[in-house]
Amino acid sequence: QVQLVESGGGLVQAGGSLRLSCAASGSIFSINAMGWYRQAPGKQRELVAVTTSGGSTNYADSVKGRFTISRDNAKNTVYLQMNSLKPEDTCVYYCNADISVRAGSSRDYWGQGTQVTVSS
């Protein structure tokens, strides 16, 4: 069984920083893309940032230049460094990973979500 466990959310003032972590554990054969999504109340979940196993990254326009995604493949962990936070970044942040438990197939897994609140 595969689990994604997130940590690092919390309350911060506008302009501050937070670092989210997400560790994958369980019977993992390989991990392909890993990323972060966020969802505000009453809104759809949206992509924040994603990184492939090869290290390519992609960001939502709203976070470019402020957020940085990285991963430690040896630890099956993905990070999201969030700087210059704005009140509109207040959301529940979810970790996502495309994981194979055997060769030839993969599926999406989600973390439980971590709340990020930015006060003005």
Side-chain angles (χ1 to χ4, degrees), residues 64-84:
K64 283 181 181 177
R66 300 188 298 123
F67 291 9
T68 302
I69 189 169
S70 61
R71 65 192 281 175
D72 184 333
N73 290 326
K75 296 181 179 179
N76 290 337
T77 299
V78 63
Y79 306 95
L80 186 67
Q81 178 67 44
M82 304 184 294
N83 299 329
S84 302

Side-chain angles (χ1 to χ4, degrees), residues 27-30 99-106:
S27 300
I28 296 172
F29 177 75
S30 65
I99 296 176
S100 297
V101 297
R102 66 180 67 83
S105 68
S106 67

Side-chain angles (χ1 to χ4, degrees), residues 22-44:
C22 171
S25 62
S27 300
I28 296 172
F29 177 75
S30 65
I31 302 179
N32 305 309
M34 300 185 82
W36 292 92
Y37 289 70
R38 66 186 183 184
Q39 187 170 21
K43 294 189 176 183
Q44 286 191 328

Side-chain angles (χ1 to χ4, degrees), residues 5-118:
V5 178
E6 300 146 345
S7 60
L11 173 64
V12 65
Q13 287 189 331
S17 298
L18 283 174
R19 188 189 193 214
L20 305 182
S21 300
C22 171
S25 62
S27 300
I28 296 172
F29 177 75
S30 65
I31 302 179
N32 305 309
M34 300 185 82
W36 292 92
Y37 289 70
R38 66 186 183 184
Q39 187 170 21
K43 294 189 176 183
Q44 286 191 328
R45 192 171 296 187
E46 62 176 7
L47 174 69
V48 176
V50 63
T51 179
T52 67
S53 58
S56 299
T57 58
N58 191 34
Y59 296 91
D61 287 343
S62 59
V63 307
K64 283 181 181 177
R66 300 188 298 123
F67 291 9
T68 302
I69 189 169
S70 61
R71 65 192 281 175
D72 184 333
N73 290 326
K75 296 181 179 179
N76 290 337
T77 299
V78 63
Y79 306 95
L80 186 67
Q81 178 67 44
M82 304 184 294
N83 299 329
S84 302
L85 282 160
K86 305 175 181 179
E88 51 264 42
D89 294 318
T90 295
C91 284
V92 178
Y93 284 71
Y94 295 91
C95 175
N96 171 269
D98 180 35
I99 296 176
S100 297
V101 297
R102 66 180 67 83
S105 68
S106 67
R107 53 154 283 196
D108 272 349
Y109 291 84
W110 292 90
Q112 78 282 2
T114 185
Q115 177 69 46
V116 171
T117 302
V118 184

